[in-house]
Amino acid sequence: MSRRAVVIDTNVLVAGLLTGDPASPVARILDGMLSAAFPFVVSEALLAEYREVLVRPGLRKRHGLTTTEVDTLLTDIAQHAIVLAPGAGSPAPDPGGQLLWDLLASRTDLVLVTGDQTLLDDAPMQPRVLSPRNFLDK
């Protein structure tokens, strides 16, 4: 697993909660965030996005957590995170990923871990964008 500080996309966090396979890359990444197994970065906006997505009624039915449990999970994650203010990044190839691009702009040593194929395929950023499996293999 890489020791560079990483930004974990919301889709990876959600997939980590939903998977039934504790050995899957997304579950291992979520467990790593909760145990501070690797350095990771969040911003206030990213934490807010994590929460907004995790408390959606349809998703809550799937992961089974109450709003209070989601808040506890996010508090545990935030306790281990490096909290940064985002920079002014270039336009993201997927507009929904702009807050991630802006966070990457805050430090040149950051890497994004995502399942978003549009972000993974962005040629100029490829060295800084990894799939969950590739992150674990580094």
Side-chain angles (χ1 to χ4, degrees):
M1 193 179 302
S2 172
R3 290 292 159 216
R4 289 175 71 181
V6 296
V7 178
I8 304 298
D9 195 345
T10 305
N11 61 49
V12 174
L13 179 80
V14 169
L17 278 175
L18 296 180
T19 185
D21 179 4
S24 72
V26 291
R28 291 175 51 206
I29 289 169
L30 177 58
D31 288 345
M33 293 172 78
L34 291 167
S35 65
F38 55 86
F40 64 96
V41 170
V42 297
S43 65
E44 290 180 16
L46 183 56
L47 283 171
E49 179 178 284
Y50 287 170
R51 185 181 192 285
E52 184 228 323
V53 171
L54 291 174
V55 299
R56 290 178 183 163
L59 194 53
R60 281 190 39 228
K61 284 181 185 176
R62 292 187 61 204
H63 62 57
L65 299 176
T66 66
T67 301
T68 301
E69 291 169 327
V70 167
D71 289 340
T72 299
L73 172 74
L74 294 176
T75 298
D76 290 346
I77 287 171
Q79 287 177 343
H80 299 298
I82 301 162
V83 180
L84 294 178
S90 60
D94 174 356
Q98 190 62 50
L99 74 95
L100 300 168
W101 245 231
D102 291 345
L103 198 50
L104 285 177
S106 68
R107 282 186 22 194
T108 59
D109 63 326
L110 294 177
V111 172
L112 172 64
V113 179
T114 185
D116 183 329
Q117 198 61 50
T118 302
L119 299 179
L120 287 164
D121 289 343
D122 186 58
M125 291 295 280
Q126 276 186 349
R128 296 186 64 197
V129 181
L130 300 172
S131 70
R133 182 167 311 284
N134 286 343
F135 169 65
L136 293 174
D137 290 345
K138 295 254 175 210

